[in-house]
Amino acid sequence: MSTFLHRVAHWAFRRRRTVVLVWVAALAAVFLGAANSSEPPEDSASLPGIESQQAFDLLDERFPGTEADGAQARVVFVAPDGQQVTSTANRSAVDTLVDEVADGPQVAGATSPFDAHAVSEDASTAYATITYRTTADDLTEASKEALTEAVEHARDAGLTVEVGGSALETEPAQGIGEVLGILVAAAVLLITFGSLAAAGLPLLTAVLGVSISLATITALGSALGFSSTVGELAMMLGLAVGIDYSLFVVSRYREERAKGYQAQEAAALAVGTAGSAVVFAGLTVVIALLGLSVVGVPTLTKMGIGSAGTVLVGVLIALTAMPALLGFWPDAVLPRRDREDSRRTRSGRPGRFGRNRNRNWTWTWSRQGTTPAGTARTPWGVRWARFVTRRPVAVLLLTVVGLGALAVPSLNLRMGMPGAESKPTTTTERRAYDALADGFGPGFNGPLTVVVDVKDADDPAAAVTGVSDRLADIEGIVSVSPPHFNEAKDTAVVSAVPSTGPAGEQTQDLVRTIRDERPAIESATGAEFQVTGTTALNIDVGRKMQDALVPYLAVVVGLAFLLLMVVFRSILVPVKAALGFLLSVGAALGAIVTVFQEGHGAGVFGVEETGPIMSTMPIFLVGIVFGLAMDYQVFLVSRIREAHIHGEQPGQAVVTGFRHSAQVVGAAALIMMAVFGGFMTGGESMVKMVGFGLASAVFFDAFVVRMAFVPAVLVLLGKRAWWLPGRLDRLLPRVDVEGEALMRRAPAPDDASGDDDRRESVTV
């Protein structure tokens, strides 16, 4: 692997103009395809195999012309204090609104609250239901404006009018996540490298990769069903891994230049060593993303495919475009002193690598390259590694106990899909939600939709009535609406209102009770029925995610285990990687529950309303974080193994690995945290949750697990960490991620040679 990538980098460096032109041409081609492509599809809520989806499908079949997920507006009227909506003036304003909206071309029906008994007991609140023949995404601006104008007319009459439902759903405020992430990444890179060019090249390649990927997703959106959500996730991951992968190559290039290698050979060695780690780190991310297809949710599968493609583009750019760009600016990425030395060397004047009075080579290595003898400072990574190697048991216990304590709140995880209750109070949907809860009770915002199939019943009307009566007798049901039949009279829909809110555990228990009593009800009435609606859908999705989690973990962890076993030629190192990953994910889930469900510190992160955790969040977090965690595992542990196979003892190998990679891994983690955390600036609660979850998981994994748990375990295991049975050792392919073959074949540096790990002045 390292030898092949070494040749690729040599070619890319020599043919740098060709390489850059190819990537620019690829960017132009996909942009042209994106410009000529049709509109991408909207996110699909289809979830095959769950009862709620089967009920929706039955509605689509039995009620042709009206989509089960068609747009709906629930217009809520609240009379001024001391008045009632049933007064003559207020009633006239309500009827006028209903009449205005009913004439719309996309309107399927407009029901007055006075005809549907949709008035609260104290007559202070009422609501009208507007249904449309199409989905909310397909509503025309004319239809939306007609509803908005009618609402304004009712407000002018003195009523408080708010609109819930999907027809006028408020778009969440757009944050500055991408911009903020790039700015923080630039600052981190500049501080780490001390060079504008070294900071700019990883950003440039990451933006190039994301641009190509997003344009490709857009161009293929119609054909493959890629929605805008696929592009958002791809952009988030593409920026994070694209910067990180190029960062590791540039860092290794500077290290090889500090040894005295010329630019072309240094670039080739950087790609042959760090590039090998990039390949396998990228493969672990791809495995985790493609593994989302195991869940059986089409939207997650498409998100995984799109993001996996973006990661692959980032890997290819780091291996080809980066050495090509280094060919254009070979010295620009070096620290200022090293750039000056390079110019002196080319001009024939001695630099810091010049000969001393005894005509011997003298040099001193520092964090960024070379410094005059006697002025080098021990890097923080080395100081920390020495601390861990002296106290491995204490560090290991503190790490496990600390992360375990943070994970405890995840035991109380409640899953659901946040609705209008999680929106800011500045939105009309949230105000409509609150008004309905005040006027009709908390359960009114989460009605259960019961689809009754009486196709085989002897008396369809009596069968539906029997089902409605049985439902009304169940404890926890406040009311059951009159049935609504289709034209064929073989299917009816009734709405059952719970006594508790849609996110309450009692409501979820109620849905389970109804389904448990279904066999008895169907036997007594001769009708079949299914329960759907938001609450039932949340329960079904949560159960589907929970059932899919174990198979998903088995597939992803199993494949990644094999991959890491090939990379590190060890059994215990992959096991350690998996255990550390579980600690970081558990702590991240605990943090999410603490903030977004229990509300501790919610105000700090701009969370206005707490509630259940998004059903797809746990499995989504597991998939993304597993891939990213393996990035740090490969980059950090590969340098430790490189030192070990070169003869160092386990403790010293850990110190050496941290000397070369701790600072870069820390910078990479800060960049990822900045990119993910930047998405918390948006107004959508679910986006904030994803950004917070990923950022916290990266923090726990990079700065706690990889910097403390991993070195402590490696020190305690000693040489046993690299044990591999002889028969398995012969069966596994050798990929040489550490570049051992390159070290044997590489020519001697032009300006210096020796052990780059030395920190004091060395005379040869």
Side-chain angles (χ1 to χ4, degrees), residues 411-737:
L411 299 176
N412 299 321
L413 174 68
R414 289 192 298 111
M415 293 191 294
M417 293 300 291
E421 75 279 1
S422 65
K423 291 181 177 292
T425 54
T426 55
T427 63
T428 186
E429 299 100 309
R430 172 61 186 277
R431 294 195 296 269
Y433 180 95
D434 292 340
L436 287 172
D438 293 338
F440 296 91
F444 196 80
N445 285 295
L448 305 176
T449 301
V450 182
V451 183
V452 186
D453 184 358
V454 289
K455 189 174 183 179
D456 298 327
D458 296 333
D459 187 346
V464 173
T465 301
V467 171
S468 298
D469 292 342
R470 292 296 189 96
L471 291 175
D473 292 337
I474 296 177
E475 184 179 358
I477 296 291
V478 174
S479 63
V480 178
S481 69
H484 172 59
F485 279 90
N486 63 344
E487 292 184 4
K489 303 299 181 181
D490 60 358
T491 308
V493 178
V494 297
S495 179
V497 178
S499 59
T500 52
E505 292 186 31
Q506 300 93 329
T507 308
Q508 296 185 9
D509 293 338
L510 175 62
V511 173
R512 297 187 183 96
T513 299
I514 294 174
R515 289 175 172 172
D516 289 342
E517 296 187 9
R518 174 165 43 201
I521 297 176
E522 291 181 343
S523 176
T525 61
E528 298 179 355
F529 70 88
Q530 294 172 318
V531 183
T532 185
T534 302
T535 303
L537 180 63
N538 290 341
I539 294 174
D540 293 342
V541 172
R543 183 178 295 117
K544 187 176 182 67
M545 296 299 105
Q546 184 176 356
D547 293 342
L549 185 58
V550 173
Y552 175 67
L553 279 174
V555 171
V556 172
V557 176
L559 291 176
F561 181 89
L562 294 176
L563 187 64
L564 293 177
M565 190 164 58
V566 171
V567 172
F568 297 117
R569 310 201 69 76
S570 165
I571 292 179
L572 296 180
V573 169
V575 171
K576 168 196 60 62
L579 293 177
F581 155 73
L582 293 176
L583 285 173
S584 59
V585 166
L589 277 177
I592 293 173
V593 171
T594 299
V595 175
F596 288 87
Q597 181 176 304
E598 299 177 354
H600 302 298
V604 177
F605 300 100
V607 180
E608 298 188 14
E609 190 71 23
T610 60
I613 304 303
M614 184 172 59
S615 297
T616 55
M617 186 67 199
I619 201 164
F620 180 80
L621 184 72
V622 166
I624 303 300
V625 175
F626 182 83
L628 299 181
M630 294 306 104
D631 275 5
Y632 304 128
Q633 170 74 12
V634 171
F635 288 128
L636 181 63
V637 180
S638 63
R639 294 307 297 264
I640 296 175
R641 185 175 186 273
E642 181 179 343
H644 173 72
I645 64 176
H646 289 162
E648 294 188 8
Q649 294 299 312
Q652 183 57 39
V654 168
V655 174
T656 301
F658 269 66
R659 183 192 303 279
H660 292 297
S661 58
Q663 181 188 4
V664 182
V665 168
L670 288 176
I671 291 170
M672 280 200 178
M673 291 173 59
V675 173
F676 295 145
F679 283 83
M680 293 187 64
T681 61
E684 182 63 48
S685 176
M686 288 189 291
V687 175
K688 288 184 178 181
M689 189 183 299
V690 171
F692 175 84
L694 292 177
S696 58
V698 168
F699 172 78
F700 293 136
D701 194 88
F703 292 106
V704 181
V705 171
R706 306 303 153 190
M707 295 294 178
F709 176 83
V710 168
V713 172
L714 289 178
V715 170
L716 291 175
L717 289 176
K719 295 182 178 180
R720 290 169 295 183
W722 312 107
W723 171 78
L724 186 69
R727 179 174 298 179
L728 190 58
D729 184 43
R730 292 189 294 271
L731 290 176
L732 292 178
R734 295 187 178 275
V735 294
D736 190 21
V737 175

Side-chain angles (χ1 to χ4, degrees), residues 16-28:
R16 46 189 173 272
R17 291 181 177 82
T18 301
V19 172
V20 171
L21 286 176
V22 168
W23 281 112
V24 172
L27 178 63

Side-chain angles (χ1 to χ4, degrees), residues 121-413:
E121 290 184 5
D122 60 0
S124 65
T125 309
Y127 67 92
T129 303
I130 316 297
T131 57
Y132 293 86
R133 296 189 180 93
T134 185
T135 63
D137 298 318
D138 293 331
L139 279 181
T140 63
E141 289 300 322
S143 295
K144 295 179 181 180
E145 290 176 4
L147 178 58
T148 302
E149 291 177 3
V151 168
E152 291 300 327
H153 294 161
R155 287 172 177 167
D156 293 339
L159 290 171
T160 297
V161 186
E162 305 295 346
V163 183
S166 58
L168 294 183
E169 188 171 6
T170 305
E171 291 294 330
Q174 295 298 316
I176 55 173
E178 301 88 340
V179 176
L180 179 63
I182 291 177
L183 290 177
V184 175
V188 172
L189 289 170
L190 187 59
I191 294 173
T192 302
F193 287 137
S195 165
L196 285 175
L201 283 185
L203 292 175
L204 176 62
T205 54
V207 171
L208 173 63
V210 168
S211 300
I212 291 176
S213 300
L214 289 181
T216 304
I217 289 172
T218 302
L220 299 176
S222 179
L224 300 181
F226 289 155
S227 65
S228 59
T229 305
V230 176
E232 291 174 3
L233 178 61
M235 178 172 57
M236 184 190 298
L237 286 177
L239 281 175
V241 302
I243 294 174
D244 282 3
Y245 293 164
S246 297
L247 165 65
F248 281 101
V249 173
V250 171
S251 176
R252 189 64 182 249
Y253 171 80
R254 286 157 58 99
E255 184 180 325
E256 300 301 333
R257 287 296 303 273
K259 294 177 183 177
Y261 285 104
Q262 292 297 322
Q264 181 171 339
E265 182 61 25
L269 288 173
V271 173
T273 51
S276 297
V278 165
V279 169
F280 284 95
L283 284 177
T284 59
V285 179
V286 169
I287 288 173
L289 291 170
L290 293 181
L292 290 172
S293 59
V294 177
V295 180
V297 178
T299 300
L300 284 180
T301 300
K302 293 171 184 177
M303 291 170 66
I305 293 174
S307 301
T310 303
V311 172
L312 287 178
V313 171
V315 171
L316 291 176
I317 286 180
L319 300 180
T320 58
M322 180 53 71
L325 293 174
L326 290 174
F328 286 106
W329 300 286
D331 296 337
V333 299
L334 303 179
R336 179 179 300 176
R337 291 179 179 177
D338 288 0
R339 291 198 300 270
E340 294 173 355
D341 288 344
S342 180
R343 286 194 293 270
R344 291 192 188 101
T345 300
R346 288 196 299 270
S347 64
R349 293 177 296 169
R352 281 179 295 138
F353 292 129
R355 293 179 181 271
N356 59 17
R357 293 180 180 179
N358 297 324
R359 301 183 61 80
N360 293 321
W361 290 101
T362 302
W363 72 94
T364 302
W365 303 102
S366 72
R367 175 172 60 88
Q368 298 293 348
T370 59
T371 58
T375 64
R377 292 170 47 186
T378 304
W380 67 265
V382 173
R383 296 196 299 271
W384 172 251
R386 289 171 178 166
F387 173 83
V388 174
T389 56
R390 289 195 297 267
R391 304 170 181 84
V393 175
V395 171
L396 180 60
L397 290 177
L398 184 61
T399 300
V400 173
V401 172
L403 292 178
L406 290 173
V408 169
S410 64
L411 299 176
N412 299 321
L413 174 68

